[in-house]
Amino acid sequence: MYRLEFTNKPTQTLLMIHILAILLFISSSTFYNEDAKKGNEAYENGDYPLAEEYYRSAIEEEPENAQVYFNLGNALAQQGKVEDAVKMYLQYNSMVESSEEKSQGEYNIGTILSETEQWKPAAKHFKNALILNPFDSEAKHNFEKALMENQKQEEEQENKENEEQEPPSEYAKAMKAQAEELVRQKKYKKAYDLMLEALEVDKSVQNYNEFIQRIGAVNDIDS
């Protein structure tokens, strides 16, 4: 679901649900450009490829009309063309001056990244939107959601990596036991070197990375 603006005044027809929202600007200046107007009509009718064509034509005629870049970003976003849409929003933000306008560009970048589950950069752009417009409650909601989803995503990735890690081989276990004996003798450098050499020939020694880092830190202190 998308939040749309078809006049100079914000409409309340569609409200944000969870992430949500691409804004469509149709300013009075845009109406002077016939292709931009046709692009808006195509967008309203859900014909996003046609809207894209008209907006690109409008940009050729009026390359300094920031709103057309914004609308083109929306048409691209609706087609799942994430990279191109982000480029258009960034171009829009480089052309406008007010914090409120720049906030909309940042908001929409956060939105399209959220819809493709790129949560970490999405959170960054929602945060940017909030910095530019601290009173945007929707940006605040989406920023918090993006942070939460990013944390979940990172935890899932970490768990997956842990599950996929090869368990320690008998050789790895033997090397760790030998290193532990050297540690008991306070021979930290020998223990550390032993584990590094073992790691070079057996990847499963990675299971003992914390142990290796710990004795390496002690060895640095003793050196």
Side-chain angles (χ1 to χ4, degrees), residues 96-212:
V96 295
E97 296 183 1
S98 75
S99 295
E100 184 176 357
E101 288 174 311
K102 289 180 182 294
S103 174
Q104 300 294 0
E106 293 289 342
Y107 184 94
N108 278 14
I109 292 173
T111 297
I112 192 172
L113 293 175
S114 295
E115 290 178 344
T116 52
E117 297 186 355
Q118 299 179 61
W119 297 110
K120 192 168 187 176
K124 173 182 181 293
H125 287 280
F126 282 132
K127 181 179 180 180
N128 290 345
L130 271 175
I131 291 171
L132 291 161
N133 183 6
F135 302 104
D136 189 338
S137 60
E138 293 178 359
K140 184 175 186 294
H141 173 90
N142 292 347
F143 174 54
E144 292 171 352
K145 180 174 177 61
L147 287 177
M148 179 182 66
E149 293 294 339
N150 179 61
Q151 182 178 354
K152 286 168 56 179
Q153 194 175 63
E154 289 183 344
E155 288 174 354
E156 288 172 2
Q157 181 62 30
E158 184 178 349
N159 291 336
K160 183 179 179 181
E161 290 174 357
N162 290 338
E163 289 174 2
E164 292 177 349
Q165 184 169 314
E166 181 183 352
S169 68
E170 295 304 311
Y171 172 77
K173 293 176 183 176
M175 292 300 101
K176 182 172 186 289
Q178 180 62 25
E180 287 174 336
E181 178 59 30
L182 290 169
V183 167
R184 279 192 286 273
Q185 298 173 27
K186 299 187 184 304
K187 298 177 180 179
Y188 298 106
K189 186 177 188 308
K190 285 188 176 182
Y192 184 59
D193 290 344
L194 176 69
M195 293 304 291
L196 290 183
E197 289 170 5
L199 186 58
E200 288 181 0
V201 297
D202 186 343
K203 289 184 179 179
S204 73
V205 176
Q206 290 177 349
N207 287 275
Y208 304 123
N209 274 344
E210 289 186 8
F211 171 71
I212 295 171

Side-chain angles (χ1 to χ4, degrees), residues 24-26 30 35-44 55 71:
L24 181 65
F25 280 125
I26 302 180
T30 306
D35 283 333
K37 181 179 179 181
K38 290 178 180 178
N40 294 338
E41 291 170 354
Y43 189 99
E44 290 184 66
Y55 289 141
N71 289 0

Side-chain angles (χ1 to χ4, degrees), residues 44-97:
E44 290 184 66
N45 292 329
D47 192 342
Y48 306 119
L50 182 60
E52 177 187 347
E53 289 182 20
Y54 279 124
Y55 289 141
R56 290 192 184 280
S57 179
I59 287 172
E60 289 182 6
E61 296 175 23
E62 196 177 354
E64 295 186 2
N65 190 328
Q67 273 74 31
V68 183
Y69 288 92
F70 192 96
N71 289 0
L72 175 56
N74 293 342
L76 292 165
Q78 292 281 14
Q79 298 175 73
K81 298 178 179 180
V82 176
E83 180 181 351
D84 290 341
V86 170
K87 287 179 181 177
M88 290 303 106
Y89 295 135
L90 292 174
Q91 179 63 31
Y92 165 80
N93 271 19
S94 73
M95 298 171 70
V96 295
E97 296 183 1

Side-chain angles (χ1 to χ4, degrees), residues 188 192 210-223:
Y188 298 106
Y192 184 59
E210 289 186 8
F211 171 71
I212 295 171
Q213 291 172 7
R214 186 170 69 252
I215 59 177
V218 175
N219 176 58
D220 288 342
I221 295 171
D222 286 349
S223 297

